[in-house]
Amino acid sequence: MKKGIISITILSFLSFVGCGYTTESINPNDYNKYEKENGQPSGIYVMSNDSVKYYFVAQQYNIDNDTLFGKGVQVINNSEIPFEGNIPINRIRSIIVKEPDRSYIVIGFVTIVVPITILLYWAITWNNN
């Protein structure tokens, strides 16, 4: 029974941790300011002027002067096509930043991790009493 409780608890926690991202749309010319204040986000979506969408994860792109250089995917008709190249800033309509929601993480910690820890402690010490 202990293994069952522990397994269900761990699976519930892992599914909870996978959620909780916020997005923020940023003007391409303001991206460098955003990155200086907040650091590099965990991922960005780039929408070009011709409505082509790109996705880049952290450490797989950088913006130098007036060009975004990166390795990611190009999203066309809900299909992802590998992309490696550059996009001039003046061809970018918007940059959408994807970040973990910190308040969601704190609430999750208090409501999930603490009770799980207490439950696991109780399950492990249950036979010893």
Side-chain angles (χ1 to χ4, degrees), residues 3 7 13-14 27 31 40 46-47 51 56 61 64 66-67 73 79-81 88 108 110 116 120 122-124 128:
K3 288 182 183 181
S7 298
F13 176 71
L14 290 176
N27 181 314
Y31 178 80
Q40 190 176 47
V46 174
M47 180 67 76
S51 298
F56 302 95
Y61 70 93
D64 287 331
D66 61 350
T67 307
V73 294
S79 298
E80 294 183 351
I81 301 167
V110 170
I116 287 174
L120 289 175
W122 174 78
I124 290 169
N128 295 336

Side-chain angles (χ1 to χ4, degrees), residues 37-55:
E37 292 174 358
N38 303 299
Q40 190 176 47
S42 61
I44 61 171
Y45 292 95
V46 174
M47 180 67 76
S48 68
N49 290 336
D50 55 358
S51 298
V52 177
K53 194 174 190 179
Y54 302 87
Y55 179 70

Side-chain angles (χ1 to χ4, degrees), residues 2-129:
K2 278 197 290 187
K3 288 182 183 181
I5 292 172
I6 293 170
S7 298
I8 291 171
T9 306
I10 289 172
L11 289 175
S12 299
F13 176 71
L14 290 176
S15 68
F16 179 78
V17 171
C19 304
Y21 282 92
T22 59
T23 57
E24 179 180 347
S25 184
I26 299 172
N27 181 314
N29 297 320
D30 295 336
Y31 178 80
N32 286 334
K33 179 182 175 188
Y34 175 89
E35 194 172 90
K36 284 180 184 174
E37 292 174 358
N38 303 299
Q40 190 176 47
S42 61
I44 61 171
Y45 292 95
V46 174
M47 180 67 76
S48 68
N49 290 336
D50 55 358
S51 298
V52 177
K53 194 174 190 179
Y54 302 87
Y55 179 70
F56 302 95
V57 295
Q59 310 303 320
Q60 295 293 315
Y61 70 93
N62 67 326
I63 297 178
D64 287 331
N65 297 325
D66 61 350
T67 307
L68 181 148
F69 300 91
K71 181 179 181 181
V73 294
Q74 184 178 26
V75 182
I76 300 175
N77 297 329
N78 293 328
S79 298
E80 294 183 351
I81 301 167
F83 173 82
E84 186 170 357
N86 59 45
I87 308 168
I89 293 295
N90 61 6
R91 289 192 49 232
I92 297 175
R93 182 184 317 157
S94 66
I95 297 175
I96 299 172
V97 176
K98 179 181 171 185
E99 282 292 334
D101 186 351
R102 287 172 181 78
S103 63
Y104 190 77
I105 293 170
V106 170
I107 291 169
F109 183 79
V110 170
T111 61
I112 301 294
V113 175
V114 172
I116 287 174
T117 304
I118 292 168
L119 182 64
L120 289 175
Y121 176 77
W122 174 78
I124 290 169
T125 59
W126 187 30
N127 270 348
N128 295 336
N129 289 332

